[in-house]
């Protein structure tokens, strides 16, 4: 008995079929949108390279630590290289340091290339930002590059000439294997001896370059000196007789000097030895020579004014009395060498009138009136007038004339 399908049974089936179809359409649409990265929120970067390679295509992978984080969106070949526009996941971009190494490479020579971001040895604290332009550090070599380099090498070498050269070398070493072996052994021995001096050789070569540069700089002066030497040589040839006379006179002078030194050599050595102390003292006080000479010159000018040299006619004198000094007594009046002030001009020869020169005390025993009474201030009686009578057993006080003459007592 056949079962009759009612309309109430077909409605749920139609709805289910419609939902299934809609689900399939949504899945396919989402797949297509995901394939074209409609839901990706990627940020752009620019990669600069000297070349991109033959198998670098649009939509090539961009990797970091082996993980794909983006793709290439455009390739522009330019005169000085290639420019790649890439898009990268912003979350992955935050993990790439700003100084990351960028390379273009593939797993095999014929494989598709990809852009790789490799972490450096010392990663920077900051990460790459959107829109940054980065430079590649390496591009994997390709077969076409190898063939191109090989072609350039063959063109530069010229195979026919290379064949001739190899043939000549083969003919030269034919039958001379022992000699070549001995030469190589000797060369190896020489290199063994030279190897410990490599550092010294490198240092000498570096200094040699500086010396060569120095010679290059002074070459014009050397050439001028050589030109002048030619003129000097011509002058010597033209005055040969005079130079012979000069040389003969020099020989005679040398013989005379030889006899002089032979006879007086010991005396000269002794004289120089005696002058050593004086020369050392003069060297120590050499800074004072300038102020001494200039001061003497100023003193001469002052004396000319005082004695009527150029400013006024006649002479100007100042007279007065000065206390006499003791007669020389040995050993009390021997000079002393106790001054230790050292060389010092104390502002001379151009002293500041507002600054007083310091009072220098030097224990040299040069005070001639030390220990003598000051007859001008300590005399009990007037300087002038009759002498007091002498007392028995006591000498009379000296007169003014005796004091001026350095006589402490009246001669008996």
């Amino acid at each position: 008995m056949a079962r009759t399908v009612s309309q109430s049974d077909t409605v749920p089936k139609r709805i289910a079929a419609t939902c299934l179809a809609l689900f399939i359409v949504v899945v396919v649409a989402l797949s297509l949108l995901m394939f074209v990265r409609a839901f990706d929120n990627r940020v752009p970067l620019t990669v600069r390279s000297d070349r991109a390679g033959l198998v670098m295509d649009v939509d090539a992978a961009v990797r970091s630590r082996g993980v794909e984080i983006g793709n290439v969106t455009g390739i522009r070949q330019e005169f000085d290289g290639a420019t790649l526009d890439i898009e990268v996941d912003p979350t992955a971009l935050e993990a790439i340091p700003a100084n990351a190494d960028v390379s273009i490479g593939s797993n095999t020579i014929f494989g598709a290339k990809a852009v790789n971001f490799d972490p450096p040895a010392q990663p920077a604290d900051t990460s790459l930002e959107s829109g940054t332009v980065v430079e590649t550090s390496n591009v994997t070599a390709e077969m076409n590059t190898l063939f191109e380099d090989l072609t350039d090498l063959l063109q530069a070498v010229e195979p026919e000439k290379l064949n001739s050269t190899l043939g000549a070398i083969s003919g030269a070493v034919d039958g001379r294997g022992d000699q070549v072996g001995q030469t190589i052994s000797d060369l190896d021995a020489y290199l063994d001896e030279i190897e410990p001096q490599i550092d010294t050789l490198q240092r000498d070569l570096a200094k040699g370059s500086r010396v060569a540069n120095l010679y290059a700089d002074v070459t014009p002066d050397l050439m001028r000196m050589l030109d002048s030497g030619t003129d000097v040589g011509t002058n010597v040839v033209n005055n040969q007789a005079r130079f012979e006379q000069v040389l003969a006179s020099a020989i005679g002078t040398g013989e005379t000097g030889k006899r002089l030194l032979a006879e007086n050599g010991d005396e000269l050595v002794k004289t120089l030895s005696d002058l050593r102390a004086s020369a050392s003292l003069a060297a120590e006080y050499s800074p004072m020579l300038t102020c001494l000479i200039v001061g003497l010159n100023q003193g001469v000018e002052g004396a000319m004014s005082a004695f009527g040299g150029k400013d006024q006619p006649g002479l100007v004198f100042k007279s007065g009395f000065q206390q006499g000094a003791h007669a020389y007594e040995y050993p009390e009046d021997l000079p002393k060498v106790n001054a230790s002030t050292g060389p010092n001009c104390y502002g001379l020869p151009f002293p500041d009138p507002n600054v007083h020169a310091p009072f220098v005390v030097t224990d040299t025993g040069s005070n001639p009136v030390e220990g003598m009474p000051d007859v001008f201030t300590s005399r009990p009686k007037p300087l002038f007038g009759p002498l007091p009578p002498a007392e028995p057993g006591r000498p009379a006080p000296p007169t003014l004339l005796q004091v001026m003459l350095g006589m402490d007592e009246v001669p008996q």
Side-chain angles (χ1 to χ4, degrees):
M1 180 177 180
R3 182 174 178 273
T4 303
V5 179
S6 63
Q7 188 175 1
S8 60
D9 294 334
T10 61
V11 172
K13 295 180 179 180
R14 292 177 179 177
I15 294 174
T18 303
C19 292
L20 178 62
L22 290 175
F23 177 76
I24 294 174
V25 170
V26 170
V27 170
V28 171
L30 289 175
S31 300
L32 292 175
L33 291 175
M34 293 179 65
F35 180 77
V36 298
R37 300 184 179 90
F39 301 105
D40 291 348
N41 185 21
R42 298 188 174 184
V43 295
L45 292 175
T46 302
V47 177
R48 289 281 303 155
S49 176
D50 56 347
R51 59 188 179 86
L54 293 178
V55 287
M56 171 59 72
D57 299 322
V58 176
D59 207 33
V62 177
R63 299 188 180 93
S64 175
R65 295 183 176 88
V67 179
E68 184 173 343
I69 61 173
N71 65 296
V72 177
T73 60
I75 302 174
R76 300 192 303 274
Q77 296 292 338
E78 299 176 350
F79 177 75
D80 57 345
T83 301
L84 282 67
D85 298 325
I86 65 175
E87 290 183 349
V88 181
D89 185 359
T91 304
L93 187 64
E94 295 178 356
I96 301 176
N99 60 341
D101 296 329
V102 184
S103 62
I104 298 176
S106 61
N107 296 330
T108 63
I109 296 179
F110 300 99
K113 285 186 170 57
V115 179
N116 299 307
F117 287 86
D118 300 321
Q122 298 292 333
D125 297 334
T126 59
S127 59
L128 285 174
E129 297 180 354
S130 175
T132 303
V133 178
V134 294
E135 297 285 341
T136 59
S137 58
N138 181 38
V139 179
T140 301
E142 300 171 317
M143 291 301 298
N144 67 311
T145 304
L146 298 178
F147 283 125
E148 182 180 0
D149 295 339
L150 181 60
T151 302
D152 295 338
L153 177 62
L154 292 177
Q155 290 178 353
V157 170
E158 299 182 9
E160 63 278 5
K161 295 183 179 180
L162 177 61
N163 184 36
S164 300
T165 303
L166 294 177
I169 294 174
S170 175
V173 300
D174 186 19
R176 296 181 176 87
D178 295 338
Q179 297 178 2
V180 173
Q182 184 62 38
T183 302
I184 295 176
S185 299
D186 295 341
L187 179 61
D188 181 67
Y190 293 150
L191 293 178
D192 288 339
E193 295 179 1
I194 294 174
E195 184 178 5
Q197 307 298 328
I198 290 296
D199 295 337
T200 304
L201 181 60
Q202 292 178 347
R203 185 168 59 253
D204 293 342
L205 291 176
K207 293 181 179 179
S209 64
R210 293 196 293 269
V211 173
N213 293 332
L214 178 61
Y215 279 122
D217 294 337
V218 301
T219 296
D221 297 333
L222 290 176
M223 297 304 297
R224 285 194 297 271
M225 184 180 68
L226 293 176
D227 293 338
S228 301
T230 303
D231 297 335
V232 172
T234 304
N235 190 18
V236 170
V237 172
N238 294 334
N239 298 274
Q240 182 176 358
R242 296 181 180 179
F243 280 110
E244 290 178 354
Q245 294 176 0
V246 171
L247 291 177
S249 301
I251 294 174
T253 303
E255 292 295 334
T256 304
K258 179 180 179 181
R259 290 194 300 271
L260 175 63
L261 294 177
E263 296 174 359
N264 303 282
D266 296 337
E267 287 75 8
L268 289 175
V269 171
K270 183 177 182 302
T271 301
L272 294 176
S273 178
D274 294 340
L275 287 175
R276 179 178 298 177
S278 301
S280 301
L281 182 62
E284 180 182 359
Y285 283 83
S286 59
M288 298 182 62
L289 295 178
T290 301
C291 60
L292 172 63
I293 295 173
V294 178
L296 289 176
N297 182 60
Q298 292 179 350
V300 169
E301 294 180 355
M304 291 176 65
S305 299
F307 291 96
K310 60 180 180 179
D311 296 334
Q312 59 185 1
L315 300 176
V316 178
F317 289 97
K318 292 183 179 180
S319 61
F321 295 98
Q322 184 177 2
Q323 184 173 340
H326 283 291
Y328 181 84
E329 296 182 2
Y330 180 85
E332 288 79 4
D333 293 330
L334 286 175
K336 299 179 181 179
V337 189
N338 293 333
S340 59
T341 57
N344 197 325
C345 289
Y346 297 104
L348 296 176
F350 303 106
D352 187 355
N354 299 321
V355 177
H356 294 286
F359 182 77
V360 181
V361 179
T362 57
D363 185 12
T364 59
S366 60
N367 187 2
V369 295
E370 181 181 3
M372 293 184 60
D374 189 350
V375 298
F376 298 101
T377 58
S378 62
R379 186 176 176 85
K381 297 295 180 67
L383 293 176
F384 302 97
L387 294 176
E391 300 179 3
R394 182 178 182 182
T399 62
L400 177 60
L401 179 59
Q402 294 172 344
V403 173
M404 291 176 60
L405 294 178
M407 302 169 61
D408 295 342
E409 298 178 357
V410 179
Q412 303 295 326

